[in-house]
Amino acid sequence: MVDGPAPAPSLLTVAERGERLVTLDVLRGVAVMAILLANLPGFALPDPAYSNPMAWGGTRPIDLGAWFLTETFVNGRMRGLFSLLFGASTLLILQRADATGLNGASIHLRRMAVLFLFGLVHLTFIWTGDILTHYALVGVIALGFVGLSARALCWTAIAMAGLSMAMGWLECFGLFAAAARDTPQSVALWDLYQLAFGTPDPARLAPEIAAMRGSWATSTAYRLASNGNPLFDLIQIGPDTLSAMLLGMAALKSGFLTGQWPRRRYRRWAAFGITLSCAAYAAMASAVMASGYDVRAVALVELFLNVPFRLIGTLGYAALILLLLRPGGWWTVRIAAAGRMAFTNYLATSIVMTLIFYGHGLGQFAHWTRASLYLLVAPMWGLMLLWSKPWLDHFGQGPLERLWRAGVRAGFDRPR
C-alpha cells in the first residue's frame, strides 16, 4: 500500500476553485457498480424475493449462499454509500454556487425538482426500484441542515437513525400482533407483509410475473397500479436516508471524504466498520435462516435491526475505498470516470437489465435462479469501466448529467 498523495486541499478551496474531488468520484463509481449486486434480484425476480430467498429464485445451496453473501457484504451498505455521497455532493454544490455568487439554495432546489422528474420517468416507465424520487424529496429536507457543524451533523444523523429504528419497530410490532390472524384486519396486514418480506403463494406472484414478461405497455400499467407513493416512502424510510445524507455532509466537512485524515485513521475505520457491520449482517442472516425465513424475522432485520450496522458499514467501506485509491492508476481513473457518470450509469443499468428480464426485451423475468443472476455483474461492470472515460474525454460529462444540468439552468440566462 502506498502512502498516497499530499494532503487534499480544504473544502473551501475546492469549492472556490470549482475543482472535482477524485475521492468522491471514485466512491461514487464503486457505489454505482456495487449496487448492482443488491439490485439484481429486484430486476429479475418477484418483489418479495428481494428480501426473502424462499419467495423465488431457487432453494439450492448455491442460491441461498448467494443471498447470504449479498446480505453479509452488500445489503444496505451500497445504498448507504450512495446516500452518503448524495449528502456530500449537495453540500459541495451549494458551497460552489455560493462561492461564485449564485444562490446555492435555489440551485439545489432546482436540481431536486429536475431529479424528481427523472425519477418519476424511471419509476413509471423503466423500473419500480427507483430511488431518485426519494432522494429528491429527502434532498429538499437535507437543505435545512447544511449550516450545522460536522459534530452537530453527526449527532443529527444518529437521531435520524434512531427515529428510523423507532418507526421500523412500530411496523414490526404491528406485524407481530397480526400473526394471530384472528380478525379480517390482521389477516390483511399479515398478507401484506408476506407480499413484501415473506413467502407468498406463487399464485399471488403470478400477476407481477405475467406483467413483467408482457409488453412494455403491460409492465408500465402494472407499475402504475402497484408503485408505492413517494410521499409515503418519504415518511417510511426518509429518516434512514436523511441520516446517511447528513453523515455524508459531516464526512465532507471533517475531511474524511477529501482524503485529509491520516491513513492510520482510515485503517481503523475500515477495520472497525467493515468487521462489525459484516459480522452483524451475517448474524442477522443466520438468524433469518434459523427461523425458516419467517416473515417476522425478515421484517425485523430489514426494518429495525440493520439500521445502525448499515451506517457503520457504509463508513467502513468508504474508508477502505479511500485507502485503496491510487491517483493516476488505471483502476482509479476508470472507476472515477464511472462515478462522474453515476447518474447515467445508474439509469443505463436499469435499461439494460430490464431489456434482459422484461417482456419488451428478452422476457427472462422469474426464469433465472438467484445465483445465476450474478453472471451479469462482470459484463455490466465492464461496460461502465470501458465506456465512461472515452465518453468523458470526448464530451466532458455524461449525457444524463448534461441533461440534468440543462434542466437546472433553464431560465437562469433568460433576459430579465
Side-chain angles (χ1 to χ4, degrees):
M1 186 70 67
V2 297
D3 287 336
S10 69
L11 178 58
L12 180 60
T13 300
V14 170
E16 290 174 343
R17 294 177 182 173
E19 298 172 347
R20 293 201 66 89
L21 285 170
V22 68
T23 52
L24 294 188
D25 288 336
V26 169
L27 287 166
R28 198 178 292 111
V30 172
V32 76
M33 292 169 64
I35 205 167
L36 176 61
L37 297 169
N39 284 346
L40 270 171
F43 288 120
L45 304 175
D47 189 59
Y50 187 89
S51 301
N52 194 326
M54 303 303 287
W56 205 278
T59 58
R60 300 173 302 163
I62 190 172
D63 297 313
L64 298 180
W67 170 81
F68 183 87
L69 290 174
T70 305
E71 284 290 305
T72 299
F73 296 106
V74 178
N75 185 29
R77 271 83 27 113
M78 294 308 108
R79 178 167 62 87
L81 192 56
F82 252 132
S83 304
L84 188 89
L85 293 167
F86 194 92
S89 297
T90 294
L91 178 61
L92 189 58
I93 288 169
L94 283 165
Q95 292 195 345
R96 282 176 172 168
D98 290 340
T100 57
L102 298 174
N103 187 324
S106 175
I107 291 175
H108 172 71
L109 292 175
R110 283 173 174 260
R111 293 183 76 247
M112 296 304 98
V114 176
L115 183 65
F116 186 79
L117 294 177
F118 272 114
L120 285 180
V121 172
H122 185 221
L123 177 67
T124 304
F125 301 112
I126 301 176
W127 183 47
T128 191
D130 170 74
I131 197 67
L132 302 178
T133 52
H134 180 64
Y135 274 15
L137 293 174
V138 178
V140 171
I141 298 172
L143 178 63
F145 299 88
V146 296
L148 297 180
S149 66
R151 183 181 297 274
L153 284 166
C154 285
W155 282 112
T156 308
I158 292 171
M160 289 297 104
L163 177 59
S164 177
M165 293 183 71
M167 296 173 65
W169 172 250
L170 287 176
E171 287 197 65
C172 292
F173 183 79
L175 173 61
F176 300 155
R181 284 168 282 178
D182 51 2
T183 67
Q185 292 81 7
S186 64
V187 170
L189 183 59
W190 180 264
D191 290 345
L192 182 65
Y193 276 93
Q194 284 286 354
L195 278 173
F197 300 113
T199 54
D201 187 285
R204 298 289 303 275
L205 303 178
E208 180 186 1
I209 294 172
M212 296 306 108
R213 290 178 183 173
S215 66
W216 175 79
T218 300
S219 63
T220 298
Y222 181 87
R223 282 190 295 273
L224 284 170
S226 306
N227 282 341
N229 188 321
L231 293 177
F232 179 78
D233 291 341
L234 178 64
I235 297 171
Q236 188 176 38
I237 62 174
D240 179 57
T241 304
L242 182 60
S243 68
M245 288 187 184
L246 298 182
L247 203 59
M249 293 182 186
L252 190 66
K253 287 190 174 186
S254 71
F256 175 86
L257 289 178
T258 56
Q260 292 177 285
W261 285 19
R263 291 183 67 82
R264 62 181 180 276
R265 292 184 68 188
Y266 288 109
R267 292 190 188 100
R268 287 200 297 266
W269 266 105
F272 169 74
I274 295 174
T275 301
L276 178 59
S277 175
C278 291
Y281 269 87
M284 290 185 285
S286 298
V288 168
M289 296 174 75
S291 75
Y293 302 91
D294 187 278
V295 64
R296 290 163 291 189
V298 177
L300 185 64
V301 167
E302 293 291 326
L303 299 175
F304 178 69
L305 292 177
N306 65 12
V307 172
F309 302 107
R310 179 163 58 246
L311 288 176
I312 293 169
T314 296
L315 289 172
Y317 276 121
L320 177 63
I321 295 164
L322 292 172
L323 279 171
L324 297 175
L325 187 153
R326 299 187 62 171
W330 190 91
W331 286 103
T332 296
V333 170
R334 291 284 172 164
I335 293 173
R340 287 181 61 185
M341 290 177 51
F343 185 35
T344 295
N345 281 322
Y346 172 73
L347 290 177
T349 298
S350 293
I351 292 171
V352 171
M353 291 300 142
T354 53
L355 282 174
I356 293 172
F357 293 108
Y358 288 7
H360 59 271
L362 300 179
Q364 294 297 299
F365 190 83
H367 281 310
W368 291 33
T369 63
R370 183 178 294 267
S372 65
L373 297 177
Y374 294 94
L375 296 174
L376 296 171
V377 171
M380 195 66 222
W381 285 2
L383 287 174
M384 292 187 200
L385 292 174
L386 291 175
W387 91 293
S388 297
K389 185 178 184 301
W391 182 279
L392 290 173
D393 289 344
H394 190 73
F395 295 104
Q397 61 185 140
L400 291 183
E401 284 78 6
R402 183 180 296 277
L403 190 59
W404 188 8
R405 180 172 292 186
V408 173
R409 287 182 172 177
F412 270 108
D413 299 326
R414 293 176 185 170
R416 300 293 180 182

